[in-house]
Amino acid sequence: MATMEGLIGLVNRIQRACTVLGDYGGDSALPTLWESLPSVAVVGGQSSGKSSVLESIVGRDFLPRGSGIVTRRPLVLQLHKTEQGMQEYAEFLHMEKKRFTDFSVIRKEIQDETDRITGRSKQISHVPIHLSIYSPNVVNLTLIDLPGLTKVAVEGQPESIVQDIENMVRSFIEKPNCIILAITPANQDIATSDAIRIARQVDPAGERTFGVLTKLDLMDKGTNALDVLEGRSYRLQHPWVGIVNRSQVDINKNVDMIAARRREREFFSSSPDYGNLASKMGSEYLAKLLSKHLESVIKARIPGIASLINKSIGELEAELDYLGRPVAIDAGAQLYTILELCRAFDRIFKEHLDGGRPGGDRIFAVFDHQLPVALKRLPFDRHLSLQNVRKVVSEADGYQPHLIAPEQGYRRLIDSSLNYFRGPSEASVDAVHFILKEIVRRSIAETQELKRFPTLQAELAAAANEALERFREDSKKTTLRLVDMESSYLTVDFFRKLPQQVEKVGGNPSAASDDRYAEGHFHRIGSNVSSYVGMVSETLKNSIPKAVVHCQVREAKRSLLNDFYIQLGKKEGRQLAQLLGENPEVMERRQQCAKRLELYKSARDEIDSVSWS
Ligand SMILES: Nc1nc2c(ncn2[C@@H]2O[C@H](COP(=O)(O)OP(=O)(O)OP(=O)(O)O)[C@@H](O)[C@H]2O)c(=O)[nH]1
């Protein structure tokens, strides 16, 4: 007994989960759990007594009545047996918190909920309504009430509705896991039964069809339904069950269900025709028969369901891994998460610099190629041309030309030449800066863990770029200082080693040879300065990279996020949570997956516990 409740309860839970998750079976391209679950679908023509059968299985009046097509959405009716003496109540899946104890209110809610989806247009919809009834007077069973098959559309319903209903009913009962409860009124020729007609289409061997014959009390005097009930008219693998529901008069007179069940029992036990079948007739017997059959079908299906659930769990877990686990809620854990993410970024950033990922090689290219080329291109030829040397030296001398060597002229020429080195050194700093910035951008993009946190990504990028900016300033100061140092103190040795030439000034009377002498003199000054500048250029070619690496690359590796960490430490829980703000779509999807996963896991546990007992 416990097993049976477990089995049907299990299927009930999975069915509800399916509806919550939008799995109604049918045309969805996704694999569906719904379709693998055994269920009992009630089919029959209009007024065949479908509602009456369902109500008498439940033992309560609760289905909407009226003319025309009343049932316009599938009603998944899950019956749960409770302990004797417990109060009966019902719950709808679409308003989970609310317990209904008044069954006329349930009827009203079924109507209202039907209209909510279909509108008042009287259209039909595939989306099921789930109703659970908890009662000591039911057996565990899940029934699906479907719209009655009709031949003509009525009162403003579109002509297509006849076909729509037929299609919807077929879509439910053609699933191999569907048990068909085919309702046929006894006062109608079985050959014209809508229920049998459609059941035969999808289950020709009658393996999963239960034939139910209603209105046995309405048969003409002197006739009986034994040919049908004993399987001679239309053969099914399961025995036919005869039913006597309340007549319209009974309903009008408010004959209650308990009295109706009693009268039904009496009808069979006192009937000369059906007396010896009495124990296998009536709605109570039908309910038990279905429950038992459903249980055996579920038992047979369990391995299949279990493997489907396991497969879905695997898929969901993979998706959750991809989406990332949910973010912690307490500030400490959030801070930890952020630090972990920063570390992941930092690791990738360093790989770009140290090798393994591209980037470091581009920095070397700056030192190895860009800087030497830029140094070579400096316009010293023009600056140290004869004309310019003459001009600078003369200006430096003033009214009293130099007597031995133009000390001031040399200084000015050298100073102004060294000034040219500022350009390439600043350019090297900038080039490396942009490479580092690009590496930061790429590292953020390549940090898989960061993908889901756009806010943190932006903050991290801003903090890193700010730090790089600081390193750039520092690096500029340092490299320019190297240049400045070159002009603050000249290498004395260089000048000492120059070939000494005693120059006589103004000793020659000839103006022409005077000129030639002066030309050679300035030429020598120019070429001396030029070779001094060349020597400095060689020095800077080596020392600028050292300064740049020291100030920018090494600092980036060492302390790129230091300031960010300090800022983080000052943040409160709310601000940390903001940093970990995610793309709402991702959050939504994760929530869905997590919820589904939880349900599937509990279904799996349920299955495990059932199959052990
Ligand atoms: N006398 C008698 N009347 C019955 C029996 N079964 C159903 N009826 C009556 O037949 C009418 C139609 O029954 P329902 O249970 O509403 O039939 P249905 O198939 O649900 O009808 P729709 O929902 O309109 O398609 C009602 O007036 C019932 O009282 C029965 O076994 N005996």
Side-chain angles (χ1 to χ4, degrees):
M1 191 63 202
T3 306
M4 185 173 89
E5 278 170 19
L7 282 174
I8 294 178
L10 156 74
V11 171
N12 284 351
R13 278 188 291 279
I14 304 177
Q15 275 174 337
R16 273 178 292 187
C18 288
T19 294
V20 169
L21 300 165
D23 177 2
Y24 319 125
D27 25 49
S28 150
L30 297 160
T32 141
L33 195 51
W34 176 269
E35 288 183 3
S36 70
L37 299 175
S39 57
V40 180
V42 186
V43 298
Q46 270 195 321
S47 290
S48 56
K50 272 184 298 103
S51 310
S52 301
V53 170
L54 279 172
E55 287 181 329
S56 74
I57 286 175
V58 176
R60 295 302 290 257
D61 302 80
F62 65 97
L63 291 171
R65 287 181 202 285
S67 56
I69 298 155
V70 179
T71 308
R72 285 179 288 114
R73 285 175 63 183
L75 175 72
V76 178
L77 183 62
Q78 302 185 323
L79 306 180
H80 311 260
K81 185 172 178 60
T82 54
E83 307 258 319
Q84 274 310 322
M86 298 283 281
Q87 202 196 10
E88 281 179 305
Y89 67 92
E91 280 170 359
F92 284 98
L93 187 62
H94 64 267
M95 36 194 344
E96 236 170 338
K97 292 274 132 40
K98 194 161 168 188
R99 278 193 177 193
F100 291 81
T101 48
D102 181 343
F103 280 72
S104 62
V105 180
I106 297 174
R107 168 180 299 153
K108 172 88 173 39
E109 183 53 37
I110 295 176
Q111 266 160 352
D112 293 349
E113 176 60 15
T114 299
D115 289 343
R116 263 171 228 142
I117 292 277
T118 63
R120 297 207 154 258
S121 62
K122 308 283 185 211
Q123 294 284 7
I124 60 168
S125 157
H126 263 86
V127 182
I129 299 174
H130 275 252
L131 175 63
S132 284
I133 294 180
Y134 299 82
S135 162
N137 309 318
V138 298
V139 291
N140 290 302
L141 189 59
T142 300
L143 297 155
I144 302 171
D145 189 17
L146 294 168
L149 297 160
T150 101
K151 297 207 163 54
V152 282
V154 282
E155 47 169 308
Q157 281 170 332
E159 212 40 60
S160 64
I161 201 160
V162 174
Q163 197 56 46
D164 291 345
I165 291 176
E166 178 124 358
N167 292 344
M168 191 213 277
V169 169
R170 192 176 299 106
S171 78
F172 274 84
I173 63 173
E174 72 190 356
K175 307 280 143 57
N177 292 307
C178 181
I179 298 159
I180 306 166
L181 195 61
I183 314 280
T184 303
N187 58 352
Q188 183 197 326
D189 185 354
I190 185 107
T192 65
S193 163
D194 287 310
I196 291 299
R197 176 180 56 79
I198 199 162
R200 181 158 31 193
Q201 291 173 7
V202 298
D203 177 32
E207 281 166 346
R208 50 189 181 90
T209 302
F210 283 79
V212 175
L213 209 56
T214 58
K215 306 192 184 179
L216 285 173
D217 58 319
L218 292 185
M219 294 189 72
D220 291 336
K221 280 262 169 337
T223 63
N224 65 46
L226 283 175
D227 277 350
V228 175
L229 291 176
E230 287 173 347
R232 288 188 291 278
S233 300
Y234 184 71
R235 197 164 168 70
L236 294 168
Q237 304 297 317
H238 304 282
W240 280 78
V241 179
I243 295 272
V244 175
N245 289 312
R246 292 172 302 172
S247 65
Q248 193 57 50
V249 179
D250 294 336
I251 290 169
N252 295 347
K253 282 201 288 196
N254 275 329
V255 171
D256 74 61
M257 206 53 84
I258 304 300
R261 278 186 178 176
R262 197 178 56 237
R263 289 230 313 247
E264 187 187 34
R265 271 200 300 276
E266 283 164 10
F267 173 87
F268 286 110
S269 59
S270 65
S271 157
D273 292 326
Y274 311 117
N276 57 338
L277 291 174
S279 64
K280 298 190 162 171
M281 292 289 134
S283 35
E284 275 174 284
Y285 175 74
L286 176 65
K288 286 190 187 124
L289 179 71
L290 287 175
S291 180
K292 247 177 112 175
H293 180 70
L294 186 60
E295 187 215 333
S296 70
V297 170
I298 292 172
K299 210 174 234 163
R301 279 288 302 139
I302 276 184
I305 296 173
S307 75
L308 184 68
I309 287 176
N310 281 331
K311 187 168 145 260
S312 307
I313 288 177
E315 286 168 2
L316 286 167
E317 274 176 342
E319 181 163 1
L320 276 174
D321 279 342
Y322 174 75
L323 294 174
R325 296 290 162 177
V327 179
I329 25 175
D330 68 295
Q334 283 174 340
L335 185 60
Y336 180 82
T337 305
I338 295 174
L339 291 177
E340 283 287 284
L341 291 166
C342 292
R343 263 194 283 280
F345 156 80
D346 211 37
R347 233 185 349 263
I348 291 180
F349 180 74
K350 285 190 178 122
E351 279 175 26
H352 275 291
L353 292 176
D354 293 338
R357 292 175 194 257
D361 51 332
R362 288 177 50 207
I363 293 177
F364 176 66
V366 171
F367 303 150
D368 191 46
H369 179 71
Q370 269 167 262
L371 176 63
V373 167
L375 290 174
K376 201 167 268 165
R377 285 203 189 128
L378 290 176
F380 292 127
D381 283 354
R382 191 157 23 89
H383 189 61
L384 297 178
S385 67
L386 198 59
Q387 267 175 324
N388 204 44
V389 170
R390 191 201 306 265
K391 183 167 164 276
V392 173
V393 171
S394 310
E395 279 171 12
D397 282 349
Y399 72 91
Q400 167 74 73
H402 61 274
L403 299 179
I404 298 170
E407 185 76 16
Q408 278 304 318
Y410 266 113
R411 282 216 163 257
R412 284 197 188 182
L413 280 171
I414 290 172
D415 269 352
S416 53
S417 297
L418 293 182
N419 227 3
Y420 283 106
F421 289 119
R422 300 174 83 88
S425 61
E426 279 189 296
S428 303
V429 171
D430 287 338
V432 170
H433 175 75
F434 288 117
I435 293 169
L436 289 173
K437 245 176 111 162
E438 171 64 11
I439 294 178
V440 164
R441 196 188 63 73
R442 286 180 63 169
S443 302
I444 287 178
E446 288 165 7
T447 308
Q448 199 59 37
E449 299 92 321
L450 270 176
K451 281 247 163 12
R452 38 193 279 232
F453 302 112
T455 315
L456 183 58
Q457 274 182 37
E459 296 274 325
L460 204 57
N465 287 337
E466 213 171 278
L468 289 181
E469 207 64 60
R470 274 199 314 277
F471 304 153
R472 160 155 81 169
E473 285 313 305
D474 189 40
S475 184
K476 259 189 195 167
K477 271 192 206 133
T478 307
T479 50
L480 291 180
R481 184 163 285 175
L482 284 180
V483 175
D484 290 345
M485 277 155 59
E486 289 298 337
S487 45
S488 349
Y489 187 70
L490 305 183
T491 309
V492 181
D493 258 7
F494 177 88
F495 293 96
R496 290 218 171 127
K497 280 179 187 153
L498 282 177
Q500 290 299 312
Q501 264 169 320
V502 185
E503 287 157 0
K504 288 190 208 130
V505 176
N508 200 317
S510 152
S513 67
D514 249 11
D515 270 2
R516 232 186 339 267
Y517 166 78
E519 216 163 89
H521 177 63
F522 288 123
H523 188 76
R524 226 173 1 262
I525 294 173
S527 85
N528 285 343
V529 170
S530 173
S531 59
Y532 185 79
V533 165
M535 180 194 72
V536 171
S537 178
E538 278 306 309
T539 309
L540 289 178
K541 198 166 79 186
N542 293 321
S543 58
I544 286 174
K546 292 180 207 282
V548 166
V549 168
H550 181 80
C551 299
Q552 290 175 275
V553 181
R554 190 193 59 138
E555 272 318 297
K557 274 168 62 180
R558 237 169 45 164
S559 64
L560 184 67
L561 294 179
N562 276 8
D563 260 29
F564 186 61
Y565 292 147
I566 292 169
Q567 296 305 318
L568 271 185
K570 292 182 194 150
K571 284 197 198 298
E572 295 166 14
R574 196 175 40 79
Q575 294 166 307
L576 293 174
Q578 238 164 26
L579 269 186
L580 289 175
E582 288 185 82
N583 183 336
E585 271 168 43
V586 174
M587 286 163 80
E588 169 88 355
R589 178 75 188 161
R590 177 187 312 106
Q591 224 161 29
Q592 276 181 357
C593 286
K595 209 159 110 190
R596 198 151 154 190
L597 185 61
E598 200 180 312
L599 286 160
Y600 278 29
K601 278 185 170 165
S602 72
R604 183 177 62 182
D605 292 348
E606 210 80 49
I607 287 182
D608 288 348
S609 73
V610 166
S611 44
W612 279 108
S613 55

